[in-house]
Amino acid sequence: MFDPEEDMPFDKLREECGVFALYGHPEAPNLVYLGLYALQHRGQESAGMASSDGRKIHSVRKMGHVADIFTPDVLNQLPGDLAIGHTRYSTAGDTSLRNAQPLSVACSKGQVAVAHNGNLTNAIELRQMLEQDGSIFQSTSDTEVILHLVARSRERTLAGALRDALLQIEGAFSLVFLAEDRIIVARDPHGFRPLAMGHLAAPGRRPATVFASETCAFDLIGATYIGDVAPGEMVIAGPEGVTRERYTMPGAPAHCSFEHVYFSRPDSIVFGKSVAKSRELMGRLLAREHPVDADAIVPVPDSGVAAAVGYAAESGIPYSQALIRNHYVGRTFIEPSQAIRDFGVKLKLNPVRHMLEGKRVILVDDSIVRGTTSRKIVRMVRSAGAREVHLRISCPPTISPCYYGVDTPSRHELIAATHTIKQIEEFVEADSLAYLSIESLRASVQDSQHHFCYACYTGTYPTLVQIEEIALAKTGCC
Ligand code: AMP
Ligand code: SF4
């Protein structure tokens, strides 16, 4: 029996990404570089950029961090006043350079490059269908399916071919396409992943148009956020100006609540709402739902900081930055010996002993996935002298994996899928453990209209039908 969690051949199942695009600025590649720099937290494994000089698309894709990849020499290979970029992180499947984005193709509609944030839930079926029809794939990324659909579309214009392709793909996608003379972006009908739109002043011409996964990328380049690409919308920025159209009817909105819990930067506006504000409210409501007598509120940096500020403000207990994060931990290090316990966490965090000694501490973090890191941090705080350690989590228990582009392990690895809160409390060795309720999470992201996805907390997926179809497609029963 096919298990979509275990057997998914596309590495996008466990992928997180950031996308950026800019049309109409003489410094486009440099600005896209800066945009990607601000989106680095969304993917640290590889990055890439494609730019157009009006006749030809130039592209660079490399493994590593944005600042290491885009040296002045590399940026000099990227001419033009329109460009798209991508940052990517994947923990399962093939993580090689061939899956780095933007991916590009030359077809009857000209050259096209694409960068994708999200995960297609019908990619397996589409890939099988395309391969049976003779398509040859270069990567294991589901994004390549989109390019093949575009290339074989009978529509004569690129916009028409994109519409054709967009109507065949399902799941989560915020896409940015680059053609020789234009940028086209699109968002899935549920709006799972964010895609913000903005303007940037350009010398001697009309303002440039920019798109980014998060508005923190606009702040860095001085662009103004004007709103989001709507679910089911396609936006074209080209020589004739900017046109917006619905390529399909929007579905029931399902914005990813985890973007507000953890994934996005707190200084971003995501789905039109301040992430910092959501997180502070999560902390405040957590304090109201799960109070405990204590001497200090200590955030797990950086993920727990904004919620800890809210918890401290609501409870009146002093906020104390008693865990210090080393921001310069590289991705590659050699663990000297398995015998050195907790080495990984000690590389990242160090406790400030005098702030913890003899104290009853409330440790605030955003989420627990497997529980192993949380246990190391609880132990660290206790061994630095804390008398009590109470763990407070600013979202509900994570009980189900994400199929829409956030890196979560399979269900059996999620501690909350198989353990009660009491058992997790024992596992992480906390004096008490409590999570934010789903109602309070909804209130924190101001979701009065039920426009958000909470599937990793509820197990109820907005597109469950498609996931079942994946299982059927693989087992051949239909
Ligand atoms: P653990 O105790 O091992 O489950 O790890 C919990 C930590 O993982 C928390 O500090 C979270 O902020 C962090 N975390 C949660 N989700 C993710 C994710 N998708 N990618 C990376 N880290 C995450
Ligand atoms: Fe976000 Fe969770 Fe829904 Fe995935 S399942 S889109 S992480 S809320």
Side-chain angles (χ1 to χ4, degrees):
M1 174 70 188
F2 173 67
D3 177 353
E5 287 170 28
E6 296 304 318
D7 304 338
M8 188 78 153
F10 292 100
D11 57 345
K12 287 289 303 240
L13 185 65
R14 306 263 188 268
E15 192 162 319
E16 295 166 347
C17 303
V19 294
F20 192 89
L22 189 149
Y23 176 86
H25 197 290
E27 293 281 319
N30 288 338
L31 293 163
V32 170
Y33 159 66
L34 291 171
L36 293 179
Y37 190 86
L39 298 174
Q40 181 73 84
H41 61 288
R42 297 184 72 89
Q44 298 94 45
E45 188 179 80
S46 66
M49 193 192 305
S51 71
S52 173
D53 57 15
R55 294 181 308 280
K56 187 172 182 298
I57 288 182
H58 305 256
S59 151
V60 169
R61 300 181 298 150
K62 291 192 178 188
M63 305 303 286
H65 287 188
V66 172
D68 300 326
I69 294 171
F70 296 104
T71 59
D73 279 354
V74 169
L75 284 168
N76 281 337
Q77 298 164 28
L78 292 161
D81 57 12
L82 58 160
I84 62 171
H86 189 257
T87 60
R88 175 176 185 269
Y89 170 61
S90 142
T91 57
D94 189 345
T95 60
S96 68
L97 185 58
R98 69 197 165 122
N99 283 339
Q101 297 190 26
L103 296 174
S104 47
V105 72
C107 62
S108 60
K109 290 99 198 163
Q111 276 188 296
V112 192
V114 62
H116 174 197
N117 176 206
N119 177 58
L120 304 186
T121 52
N122 65 340
I124 295 172
E125 292 154 273
L126 289 173
R127 186 173 169 135
Q128 282 172 347
M129 183 268 288
L130 288 161
E131 283 178 335
Q132 274 161 16
D133 273 8
S135 296
I136 296 168
F137 280 76
Q138 310 289 327
S139 74
T140 57
S141 159
D142 62 350
T143 308
E144 197 184 344
V145 166
I146 304 168
L147 285 182
H148 282 276
L149 292 173
V150 170
R152 60 182 242 144
S153 168
R154 295 234 163 90
E155 292 286 336
R156 277 179 300 162
T157 63
L158 176 61
L162 288 182
R163 248 176 247 120
D164 218 11
L166 295 173
L167 292 173
Q168 295 176 68
I169 59 177
E170 290 166 7
F173 50 90
S174 284
L175 292 162
V176 297
F177 295 91
L178 174 77
E180 283 112 344
D181 68 340
R182 64 196 56 226
I183 275 169
I184 305 181
V185 308
R187 202 158 161 228
D188 68 73
H190 297 282
F192 281 106
R193 307 256 71 87
L195 190 57
M197 183 171 167
H199 284 155
L200 176 67
R205 29 173 128 175
R206 64 181 169 210
T209 308
V210 275
F211 303 93
S213 295
E214 289 180 41
T215 61
C216 63
F218 293 167
D219 297 339
L220 184 59
I221 63 167
T224 309
Y225 169 57
I226 57 166
D228 291 341
V229 175
E233 188 182 33
M234 185 162 105
V235 183
I236 305 174
E240 63 285 343
V242 175
T243 55
R244 307 181 70 151
E245 65 168 86
R246 298 271 179 188
Y247 68 86
T248 186
M249 292 298 288
H255 307 318
C256 172
S257 57
F258 192 63
E259 290 274 355
H260 275 255
V261 169
Y262 168 81
F263 199 43
S264 295
R265 264 174 46 169
D267 51 336
S268 286
I269 308 289
V270 169
F271 310 126
K273 289 158 190 190
S274 156
V275 175
K277 193 171 163 190
S278 298
R279 287 194 191 152
E280 195 198 323
L281 205 47
M282 287 169 207
R284 282 185 178 275
L285 297 179
L286 188 59
R288 271 186 229 165
E289 282 183 343
H290 302 290
V292 56
D293 270 346
D295 307 305
I297 309 290
V298 175
V300 174
D302 294 324
S303 50
V305 170
V309 167
Y311 198 111
E314 189 69 24
S315 64
I317 301 169
Y319 175 90
S320 172
Q321 225 167 321
L323 286 171
I324 303 300
R325 179 166 167 204
N326 177 7
H327 282 266
Y328 305 101
V329 179
R331 284 186 66 79
T332 51
F333 64 86
I334 299 160
E335 200 159 329
S337 155
Q338 287 301 323
I340 302 181
R341 285 167 67 83
D342 303 343
F343 186 75
V345 154
K346 279 183 185 161
L347 265 181
K348 281 191 190 156
L349 295 176
N350 201 26
V352 185
R353 185 165 273 276
H354 82 267
M355 293 170 118
L356 296 166
E357 237 157 19
K359 299 263 169 64
R360 295 168 304 163
V361 169
I362 299 177
L363 198 56
V364 180
D365 203 356
D366 72 289
S367 55
I368 298 178
V369 183
R370 294 182 175 87
T372 46
T373 309
S374 307
R375 177 163 68 175
K376 287 175 184 173
I377 297 170
V378 170
R379 281 182 182 165
M380 177 183 273
V381 170
R382 212 185 287 283
S383 64
R387 189 150 52 94
E388 290 172 21
V389 185
H390 302 275
L391 187 56
R392 294 291 178 271
I393 302 296
S394 62
C395 73
T398 306
I399 57 161
S400 264
C402 176
Y403 297 98
Y404 309 118
V406 164
D407 167 37
T408 40
S410 36
R411 184 173 279 110
H412 68 264
E413 290 176 82
L414 293 170
I415 191 167
T418 50
H419 293 68
T420 63
I421 293 177
K422 198 72 201 157
Q423 287 168 330
I424 303 170
E425 182 183 287
E426 281 163 23
F427 178 82
V428 300
E429 300 172 4
D431 291 284
S432 76
L433 166 68
Y435 290 84
L436 190 68
S437 68
I438 196 92
E439 295 73 26
S440 290
L441 174 58
R442 183 169 278 133
S444 302
V445 297
Q446 302 158 72
D447 182 22
S448 53
Q449 295 180 295
H450 295 251
H451 281 179
F452 278 68
C453 173
Y454 305 93
C456 46
Y457 311 117
T458 61
T460 305
Y461 293 91
T463 59
L464 186 60
V465 175
Q466 282 93 332
I467 289 163
E468 283 170 355
E469 278 172 6
I470 291 170
L472 289 173
K474 181 77 178 184
T475 50
C477 1
C478 41

